[in-house]
Amino acid sequence: MANTHNTNEEYNSVIAECRTLFSKKLQDYGCAWRILRAASVTDQIFIKAKRIRTLEIETEAMVQEGIKPELIGIVNYAIIALIQLELGATDHCDLTVGEAVGYYDNYAQKAFKLLQAKNHDYGEAWREMRPESYTDLILQKIIRTKQIEDNNGQTIVSEGIDANYFDMLNYAVFYIIRLSEQ
């Protein structure tokens, strides 16, 4: 059977949806997230991933928002984390909407290139994974990131914090793509 998927289009569609929400929130709140240190952004991603896991396990949700909004939050917070790693936290909003979106687009493009490279090497194995595995892998990446943060960003043989954020972002995109197939 021929592959009926166009991963590049699906990926870009998900990123466009996430970017739209990011841009709208920038208009509402400005870049208030610039005050967050990287570890705080990691914790925001953790909260979202834990909620997804709870929704996957529990039969009833008390807050009537589904998994997809949480995944979009993970994508956007992962990009925020990458921006914060580059710029550092600040005590004030120092980016215009256009500048913040420019940083967003830069990191979204880097994540896309990483996806293309890994898809080439792994043959889109992610399409055959259970969606719940994406949640577990995101949580694992969060735990790794927290450990690296606790080690002041130092690793001996492992990839750095940024690689973990890129992976969290891409796993969240994969999950959103899989949700759209259901």
Coordinates of all heavy atoms in Angstrom, one line a residue, residues 26-87:
L26 N 0.6 36.5 22.3 CA 1.5 37.6 22.3 C 0.7 39.0 22.3 O 1.1 39.9 23.0 CB 2.5 37.6 21.2 CG 3.7 36.8 21.3 CD1 4.4 36.7 20.0 CD2 4.6 37.3 22.4
Q27 N -0.3 39.0 21.5 CA -1.1 40.2 21.4 C -1.9 40.5 22.7 O -2.0 41.6 23.1 CB -2.0 40.2 20.2 CG -1.3 40.2 18.9 CD -2.2 39.9 17.7 OE1 -3.4 40.1 17.7 NE2 -1.5 39.3 16.6
D28 N -2.3 39.4 23.3 CA -3.1 39.6 24.6 C -2.1 39.9 25.8 O -2.5 40.8 26.6 CB -3.8 38.3 24.9 CG -5.0 38.1 24.1 OD1 -5.5 39.0 23.4 OD2 -5.6 37.0 24.1
Y29 N -1.0 39.2 25.9 CA -0.2 39.3 27.1 C 1.2 39.9 26.8 O 2.0 40.1 27.8 CB 0.1 37.9 27.6 CG -1.1 37.0 27.9 CD1 -1.2 35.7 27.4 CD2 -2.2 37.5 28.7 CE1 -2.3 35.0 27.7 CE2 -3.3 36.8 29.0 CZ -3.4 35.5 28.5 OH -4.5 34.7 28.8
G30 N 1.5 40.2 25.6 CA 2.9 40.6 25.3 C 3.8 39.4 25.5 O 3.3 38.2 25.5
C31 N 5.0 39.6 25.8 CA 6.0 38.5 26.0 C 6.3 38.3 27.4 O 7.4 38.2 27.9 CB 7.3 38.8 25.1 SG 8.1 40.3 25.6
A32 N 5.2 38.3 28.2 CA 5.3 38.1 29.7 C 6.2 36.8 30.0 O 6.8 36.8 31.1 CB 4.0 38.0 30.3
W33 N 6.2 35.9 29.1 CA 7.0 34.6 29.3 C 8.5 34.9 29.4 O 9.2 34.1 29.9 CB 6.6 33.6 28.3 CG 6.7 34.1 26.8 CD1 5.6 34.6 26.1 CD2 7.8 34.3 26.0 NE1 6.0 35.0 24.9 CE2 7.4 34.8 24.8 CE3 9.2 34.0 26.1 CZ2 8.2 35.0 23.7 CZ3 10.0 34.2 25.1 CH2 9.6 34.8 23.9
R34 N 8.9 36.1 28.9 CA 10.3 36.4 29.0 C 10.9 36.4 30.4 O 12.1 36.3 30.6 CB 10.6 37.7 28.3 CG 10.5 37.7 26.8 CD 11.6 37.0 26.1 NE 12.8 37.8 26.2 CZ 14.0 37.4 26.7 NH1 14.1 36.1 27.2 NH2 15.0 38.2 26.8
I35 N 10.0 36.5 31.4 CA 10.5 36.6 32.8 C 10.8 35.2 33.3 O 11.5 35.0 34.3 CB 9.4 37.2 33.7 CG1 10.1 37.7 35.0 CG2 8.2 36.3 33.9 CD1 9.2 38.6 35.8
L36 N 10.3 34.1 32.6 CA 10.5 32.8 33.0 C 12.0 32.3 32.8 O 12.5 32.5 31.7 CB 9.6 31.8 32.3 CG 8.1 32.0 32.5 CD1 7.3 31.1 31.6 CD2 7.7 31.8 34.0
R37 N 12.5 31.7 33.8 CA 13.8 31.0 33.6 C 13.5 29.7 32.9 O 12.4 29.2 33.0 CB 14.5 30.8 35.0 CG 15.0 32.2 35.6 CD 15.4 32.0 37.0 NE 14.2 31.9 37.8 CZ 14.1 31.9 39.1 NH1 15.3 32.1 39.8 NH2 13.0 31.8 39.8
A38 N 14.5 29.1 32.3 CA 14.4 27.9 31.5 C 13.7 26.8 32.4 O 12.8 26.1 31.9 CB 15.7 27.4 30.9
A39 N 14.1 26.7 33.7 CA 13.6 25.6 34.5 C 12.1 25.8 34.7 O 11.4 24.8 34.8 CB 14.3 25.6 35.9
S40 N 11.6 27.0 34.8 CA 10.2 27.3 35.0 C 9.4 26.9 33.7 O 8.3 26.4 33.8 CB 10.0 28.8 35.3 OG 10.6 29.1 36.5
V41 N 10.0 27.1 32.6 CA 9.4 26.7 31.3 C 9.3 25.2 31.3 O 8.3 24.6 30.9 CB 10.1 27.2 30.1 CG1 9.4 26.8 28.8 CG2 10.2 28.8 30.1
T42 N 10.4 24.5 31.7 CA 10.4 23.0 31.8 C 9.2 22.6 32.7 O 8.5 21.6 32.3 CB 11.7 22.5 32.3 OG1 12.8 23.0 31.5 CG2 11.7 21.0 32.4
D43 N 9.0 23.2 33.8 CA 7.9 22.9 34.7 C 6.6 23.1 34.0 O 5.6 22.3 34.3 CB 8.0 23.6 36.0 CG 9.1 23.0 36.9 OD1 9.6 21.9 36.7 OD2 9.6 23.8 37.8
Q44 N 6.4 24.1 33.2 CA 5.2 24.4 32.5 C 4.9 23.2 31.5 O 3.8 22.7 31.4 CB 5.2 25.7 31.7 CG 5.1 26.9 32.6 CD 3.8 26.9 33.4 OE1 2.7 26.8 32.8 NE2 3.8 27.1 34.7
I45 N 5.9 22.8 30.8 CA 5.8 21.6 29.9 C 5.4 20.4 30.7 O 4.5 19.6 30.3 CB 7.1 21.4 29.1 CG1 7.3 22.6 28.2 CG2 6.9 20.1 28.2 CD1 8.7 22.6 27.5
F46 N 6.0 20.2 31.9 CA 5.7 19.1 32.8 C 4.3 19.0 33.1 O 3.6 18.0 33.1 CB 6.6 19.1 34.0 CG 6.3 18.1 35.0 CD1 6.7 16.8 34.8 CD2 5.7 18.4 36.2 CE1 6.4 15.8 35.8 CE2 5.4 17.5 37.2 CZ 5.7 16.2 37.0
I47 N 3.7 20.2 33.5 CA 2.3 20.3 33.9 C 1.4 19.8 32.8 O 0.5 19.0 33.0 CB 2.0 21.7 34.4 CG1 2.6 22.0 35.7 CG2 0.5 21.9 34.5 CD1 2.6 23.5 36.1
K48 N 1.7 20.3 31.6 CA 0.9 19.9 30.4 C 1.0 18.4 30.1 O 0.0 17.8 29.8 CB 1.3 20.8 29.2 CG 1.0 22.3 29.5 CD 0.8 23.1 28.3 CE 0.3 24.4 28.7 NZ -1.1 24.4 29.1
A49 N 2.2 17.9 30.2 CA 2.4 16.5 29.9 C 1.8 15.6 30.9 O 1.2 14.5 30.6 CB 3.9 16.1 29.8
K50 N 1.8 16.0 32.2 CA 1.2 15.2 33.3 C -0.3 15.2 33.1 O -1.0 14.2 33.3 CB 1.5 15.8 34.6 CG 2.9 15.4 35.1 CD 3.1 13.9 35.4 CE 2.4 13.6 36.7 NZ 2.7 12.2 37.1
R51 N -0.9 16.3 32.6 CA -2.3 16.4 32.4 C -2.7 15.5 31.2 O -3.7 14.8 31.3 CB -2.8 17.8 32.1 CG -4.3 17.9 31.9 CD -4.9 19.2 32.1 NE -6.4 19.1 32.1 CZ -7.1 19.0 31.0 NH1 -6.6 19.2 29.8 NH2 -8.4 18.9 31.1
I52 N -1.9 15.5 30.2 CA -2.2 14.6 29.1 C -2.2 13.1 29.6 O -3.1 12.4 29.2 CB -1.2 14.8 27.9 CG1 -1.3 16.2 27.3 CG2 -1.3 13.7 26.9 CD1 -0.2 16.6 26.4
R53 N -1.2 12.8 30.3 CA -1.1 11.4 30.8 C -2.4 11.1 31.7 O -2.9 10.0 31.6 CB 0.2 11.2 31.6 CG 0.4 9.8 32.0 CD 1.8 9.6 32.4 NE 2.1 8.2 32.8 CZ 3.3 7.7 32.9 NH1 4.3 8.4 32.7 NH2 3.4 6.4 33.3
T54 N -2.8 12.0 32.5 CA -4.0 11.8 33.3 C -5.2 11.6 32.4 O -6.0 10.7 32.7 CB -4.2 13.0 34.3 OG1 -3.1 13.1 35.2 CG2 -5.5 12.8 35.1
L55 N -5.3 12.4 31.4 CA -6.5 12.3 30.5 C -6.4 11.0 29.7 O -7.5 10.4 29.4 CB -6.5 13.5 29.5 CG -6.8 14.8 30.1 CD1 -6.6 15.9 29.0 CD2 -8.2 14.9 30.6
E56 N -5.3 10.5 29.5 CA -5.1 9.2 28.8 C -5.6 8.0 29.7 O -6.0 7.0 29.2 CB -3.7 8.9 28.4 CG -3.2 9.9 27.2 CD -1.7 9.8 27.0 OE1 -1.0 9.3 27.9 OE2 -1.3 10.3 26.0
I57 N -5.4 8.2 31.0 CA -5.7 7.1 32.0 C -7.1 7.3 32.6 O -7.8 6.3 32.7 CB -4.7 7.2 33.1 CG1 -3.3 6.8 32.5 CG2 -5.0 6.2 34.2 CD1 -2.1 7.1 33.5
E58 N -7.5 8.4 32.9 CA -8.8 8.7 33.6 C -9.9 8.7 32.6 O -9.8 9.1 31.4 CB -8.8 10.0 34.4 CG -7.8 10.1 35.5 CD -8.0 9.1 36.6 OE1 -9.2 8.8 36.9 OE2 -7.0 8.6 37.2
T59 N -11.1 8.3 33.0 CA -12.3 8.2 32.1 C -13.0 9.6 32.1 O -13.8 9.8 31.2 CB -13.2 7.1 32.5 OG1 -13.6 7.3 33.9 CG2 -12.5 5.7 32.4
E60 N -12.8 10.4 33.2 CA -13.6 11.6 33.3 C -12.6 12.8 33.5 O -11.7 12.7 34.4 CB -14.6 11.5 34.4 CG -15.4 12.8 34.6 CD -16.4 12.6 35.8 OE1 -16.6 11.5 36.3 OE2 -16.9 13.7 36.2
A61 N -12.8 13.8 32.8 CA -12.0 15.0 33.0 C -12.8 16.1 33.7 O -14.0 16.3 33.4 CB -11.5 15.6 31.6
M62 N -12.2 16.7 34.7 CA -12.9 17.8 35.4 C -12.8 19.1 34.7 O -13.7 19.9 34.9 CB -12.3 17.9 36.8 CG -12.4 16.6 37.7 SD -14.1 16.1 38.0 CE -14.5 17.3 39.2
V63 N -11.8 19.3 33.9 CA -11.6 20.5 33.1 C -11.9 20.1 31.7 O -11.2 19.2 31.2 CB -10.2 21.2 33.3 CG1 -10.1 22.4 32.4 CG2 -10.0 21.5 34.7
Q64 N -12.8 20.7 31.0 CA -13.3 20.2 29.7 C -12.4 20.8 28.6 O -12.9 21.4 27.6 CB -14.7 20.6 29.5 CG -15.6 19.9 30.5 CD -15.5 18.3 30.5 OE1 -15.4 17.7 29.4 NE2 -15.3 17.8 31.6
E65 N -11.1 20.6 28.7 CA -10.2 20.8 27.6 C -9.5 19.5 27.3 O -9.2 18.8 28.2 CB -9.2 21.9 28.0 CG -9.7 23.3 28.2 CD -8.7 24.3 28.6 OE1 -7.5 23.9 28.7 OE2 -9.0 25.4 28.8
G66 N -9.4 19.2 26.1 CA -8.8 17.9 25.7 C -7.3 17.9 25.6 O -6.6 18.8 26.1
I67 N -6.8 16.8 25.0 CA -5.4 16.6 24.9 C -4.7 17.6 23.9 O -3.7 18.1 24.2 CB -5.1 15.1 24.5 CG1 -5.5 14.2 25.6 CG2 -3.7 14.9 24.0 CD1 -5.5 12.7 25.3
K68 N -5.4 17.9 22.8 CA -4.8 18.7 21.8 C -4.4 20.1 22.3 O -3.2 20.5 22.0 CB -5.7 18.8 20.6 CG -5.1 19.6 19.4 CD -6.0 19.6 18.2 CE -5.3 20.4 17.1 NZ -6.2 20.5 15.9
P69 N -5.2 20.8 23.1 CA -4.7 22.1 23.6 C -3.5 22.0 24.4 O -2.6 22.9 24.4 CB -5.9 22.6 24.4 CG -7.1 21.9 23.8 CD -6.6 20.6 23.4
E70 N -3.3 20.9 25.2 CA -2.1 20.7 26.0 C -0.9 20.4 25.1 O 0.2 20.9 25.4 CB -2.4 19.5 27.0 CG -3.5 19.7 27.9 CD -3.4 20.9 28.9 OE1 -2.4 21.5 29.0 OE2 -4.5 21.2 29.5
L71 N -1.1 19.7 24.0 CA 0.0 19.4 23.1 C 0.4 20.7 22.4 O 1.6 20.9 22.2 CB -0.5 18.4 22.1 CG -0.7 17.0 22.6 CD1 -1.5 16.1 21.6 CD2 0.6 16.3 23.0
I72 N -0.5 21.5 22.0 CA -0.2 22.8 21.4 C 0.6 23.6 22.5 O 1.6 24.3 22.1 CB -1.4 23.6 21.0 CG1 -2.0 22.8 19.8 CG2 -1.1 25.0 20.7 CD1 -3.4 23.4 19.3
G73 N 0.2 23.6 23.7 CA 1.0 24.2 24.8 C 2.4 23.7 24.9 O 3.3 24.5 25.1
I74 N 2.6 22.4 24.7 CA 3.9 21.8 24.8 C 4.8 22.4 23.6 O 5.9 22.7 23.8 CB 3.9 20.3 24.8 CG1 3.3 19.8 26.2 CG2 5.3 19.7 24.6 CD1 3.1 18.3 26.3
V75 N 4.2 22.4 22.4 CA 4.9 22.9 21.3 C 5.4 24.3 21.6 O 6.5 24.7 21.4 CB 4.1 22.8 20.0 CG1 4.7 23.6 18.9 CG2 3.8 21.4 19.6
N76 N 4.4 25.2 22.0 CA 4.7 26.6 22.2 C 5.7 26.8 23.4 O 6.6 27.6 23.2 CB 3.5 27.4 22.3 CG 2.7 27.5 21.0 OD1 3.3 27.3 20.0 ND2 1.5 27.9 21.1
Y77 N 5.5 26.1 24.4 CA 6.5 26.2 25.6 C 7.8 25.7 25.2 O 8.9 26.2 25.7 CB 5.9 25.6 26.8 CG 5.0 26.5 27.6 CD1 3.7 26.1 27.9 CD2 5.5 27.7 28.2 CE1 2.9 27.0 28.6 CE2 4.7 28.5 28.9 CZ 3.4 28.1 29.1 OH 2.6 29.0 29.9
A78 N 7.9 24.6 24.4 CA 9.2 24.2 24.0 C 10.0 25.2 23.2 O 11.2 25.4 23.4 CB 9.1 22.9 23.2
I79 N 9.2 25.9 22.3 CA 9.9 27.0 21.5 C 10.2 28.1 22.4 O 11.3 28.7 22.3 CB 9.0 27.4 20.4 CG1 8.9 26.3 19.3 CG2 9.5 28.7 19.7 CD1 8.0 26.5 18.1
I80 N 9.4 28.5 23.4 CA 9.7 29.5 24.4 C 11.0 29.1 25.1 O 11.8 30.0 25.3 CB 8.5 29.7 25.3 CG1 7.4 30.5 24.6 CG2 8.9 30.5 26.6 CD1 6.1 30.6 25.4
A81 N 11.1 27.9 25.5 CA 12.3 27.4 26.2 C 13.5 27.6 25.4 O 14.6 28.0 25.9 CB 12.1 26.0 26.7
L82 N 13.4 27.3 24.1 CA 14.6 27.4 23.2 C 15.0 28.9 23.1 O 16.1 29.3 23.1 CB 14.3 26.8 21.9 CG 14.2 25.3 21.9 CD1 13.5 24.8 20.7 CD2 15.6 24.7 22.0
I83 N 14.0 29.8 23.0 CA 14.2 31.2 23.0 C 14.9 31.7 24.3 O 15.9 32.4 24.3 CB 12.9 32.0 22.7 CG1 12.3 31.7 21.3 CG2 13.2 33.5 22.9 CD1 10.9 32.2 21.1
Q84 N 14.4 31.2 25.4 CA 14.9 31.6 26.7 C 16.4 31.1 26.9 O 17.2 31.8 27.5 CB 14.1 31.1 27.8 CG 12.7 31.7 27.9 CD 12.7 33.2 28.1 OE1 13.0 34.0 27.2 NE2 12.6 33.7 29.3
L85 N 16.7 29.9 26.3 CA 18.0 29.4 26.4 C 19.0 30.3 25.6 O 20.1 30.6 26.0 CB 18.1 28.0 25.8 CG 17.6 26.8 26.7 CD1 17.7 25.5 25.9 CD2 18.4 26.7 28.0
E86 N 18.5 30.8 24.5 CA 19.3 31.7 23.7 C 19.4 33.1 24.3 O 20.6 33.6 24.4 CB 18.7 31.9 22.3 CG 19.5 32.8 21.4 CD 18.9 33.0 20.0 OE1 18.1 32.1 19.5 OE2 19.3 34.0 19.3
L87 N 18.3 33.7 24.8 CA 18.3 35.1 25.2 C 18.5 35.2 26.7 O 18.9 36.3 27.2 CB 17.0 35.7 24.8 CG 16.7 35.8 23.3 CD1 15.4 36.5 23.1 CD2 17.8 36.5 22.5

